[in-house]
Amino acid sequence: MRNLFKRYRLFSTFHSHWIAARCFCNEPATKDVTCVLGKRYPVDSWTNVSPSIIGKLGTNLHTQKHHPLGLLKLQIQNFFYKTYVKRSGNPIFSVYDNISPVVTLEQNYDHLLVPKDHPSRKWSDSYYINCCYMLRAHTTAHQHDLISSGLDSFLIVGDVYRRDTIDSTHYPAFHQLDGVRLFSKHELFSNVDEIDSLHLFENGLKTDLKQGEHTLEAALVVSNQLKSTLQNLAKSLFGKDIEYRWVEEYFPFTHPSWELEIMYKGKWMEVLGCGVIRQEILQKAGAVDKVGWAFGMGLERLAMKLYNISDIRLFWSKDPRFTNQFKVEDPSTQIKFKKEHRTQKLHTGIPEGHIC
């Protein structure tokens, strides 16, 4: 997840109504166009999205009820529904799992403070429809738009795309889940008696523990809430007795930032990346009086461990020897995938070393 979150963890919330022709880049398009999810986009020198990748769009493995990615998504969704509940009994978190993967470069990078010279922007690393539009490289690309719409607690789940050489653990189309939780002053310090003496913001210095705009007490409470939530999420997936640790990291869009690792089969395994959202991002999204945290995780990587799946390409398989093993009604059912015929290889339909 280190490369996944660091390089690609960057919504096009309700941009489905945008007209592709509104692409006002400096480079003129050719007469050619490409059709993506029913819309026509001009082709230019940036275009590198292939027909094989376009063919994956709309498959939405993460919304299929009896698919391992769908089961894992439901487990995580149910955890947040049960953990965060309003006084009315309704869940605080809302879930967005059917957002178009076509985003602007601004959504994928600029809204998340990704530097202009960051490696993730390379033409060779992402799928560009043209110089204005691309296939999202991470579901965090929708964070700005959702916050701008007034939401403060949500999960984003979807397919993301990164150019990669295909093997048993790498595939250019995969799935991510992002989470965001924002707090007002009264929400963050709700358990404190003398709340008037506490503040979210100050004109201070950036340290390893906080951003310059945040007070130390606000940064510590947000960080503690974040870690407590994600530790409990990991326990709900891998068992309450797991050993875990926090590793300090750097991400352009959070500070401080960490990766959560758990001890799995004798080795430390990364589960997710997370941190306190940079206040500049919240200010530009209109949440000027709030602070918050965010996290992101790759679903395939965790599902492979949880369900004993040895090849990432199997997630795209329609072979009943694979799909039938995940037909359960309770998403928390423990499943260990077993090859019914060890001598007969399951067909993934995708060759080793192929680059889409």
Side-chain angles (χ1 to χ4, degrees), residues 52-102:
S52 60
I53 289 297
I54 292 177
K56 300 292 183 186
L57 303 179
T59 305
N60 295 336
L61 300 179
H62 62 287
T63 64
Q64 296 180 19
K65 183 178 180 182
H66 299 303
H67 190 278
L69 298 181
L71 296 176
L72 177 55
K73 172 227 167 188
L74 286 174
Q75 285 192 70
I76 299 170
Q77 176 179 302
N78 290 342
F79 168 82
F80 281 93
Y81 278 0
K82 293 176 181 177
T83 303
Y84 289 95
V85 182
K86 299 177 182 178
R87 291 181 179 179
S88 63
N90 295 323
I92 290 177
F93 275 78
S94 50
V95 178
Y96 299 86
D97 61 5
N98 194 29
I99 303 169
S100 171
V102 177

Side-chain angles (χ1 to χ4, degrees), residues 101-141:
V102 177
V103 299
T104 65
L105 274 63
E106 183 180 28
Q107 291 170 295
N108 200 75
Y109 301 121
D110 300 332
H111 285 169
L112 294 156
L113 309 181
V114 178
K116 295 294 184 182
D117 60 349
H118 197 272
S120 64
R121 291 180 180 258
K122 287 184 178 180
W123 183 86
S124 59
D125 282 10
S126 297
Y127 286 103
Y128 291 94
I129 297 174
N130 54 36
C131 62
C132 298
Y133 292 91
M134 65 184 294
L135 299 183
R136 63 186 170 211
H138 38 218
T139 46
T140 322

Side-chain angles (χ1 to χ4, degrees), residues 152-254:
D152 57 15
S153 301
F154 54 85
L155 303 177
I156 314 166
V157 197
D159 45 333
V160 298
Y161 299 86
R162 175 167 63 94
R163 299 185 74 183
D164 209 347
T165 302
I166 296 172
D167 58 29
S168 62
T169 59
H170 298 87
Y171 195 66
F174 51 104
H175 298 75
Q176 287 186 341
L177 184 148
D178 272 48
V180 167
R181 177 78 166 107
L182 304 184
F183 303 88
S184 66
K185 172 182 174 178
H186 290 279
E187 290 170 329
L188 189 65
F189 300 126
S190 59
N191 295 324
V192 178
D193 293 331
E194 298 181 2
I195 191 171
D196 291 337
S197 65
L198 299 174
H199 303 278
L200 296 180
F201 307 111
E202 68 176 13
N203 185 17
L205 297 176
K206 176 182 176 182
T207 71
D208 291 343
L209 297 177
K210 74 179 198 71
Q211 300 170 36
E213 302 92 332
H214 294 165
T215 62
L216 180 59
E217 57 266 26
L220 291 177
V221 175
V222 172
S223 298
N224 288 338
Q225 289 222 18
L226 166 65
K227 290 183 175 182
S228 176
T229 297
L230 298 181
Q231 286 165 193
N232 289 332
L233 172 61
K235 291 178 180 180
S236 74
L237 295 175
F238 290 94
K240 61 183 179 64
D241 296 324
I242 59 167
E243 183 181 353
Y244 60 84
R245 69 181 183 184
W246 293 96
V247 180
E248 292 184 2
E249 255 297 349
Y250 165 79
F251 305 124
F253 27 85
T254 55

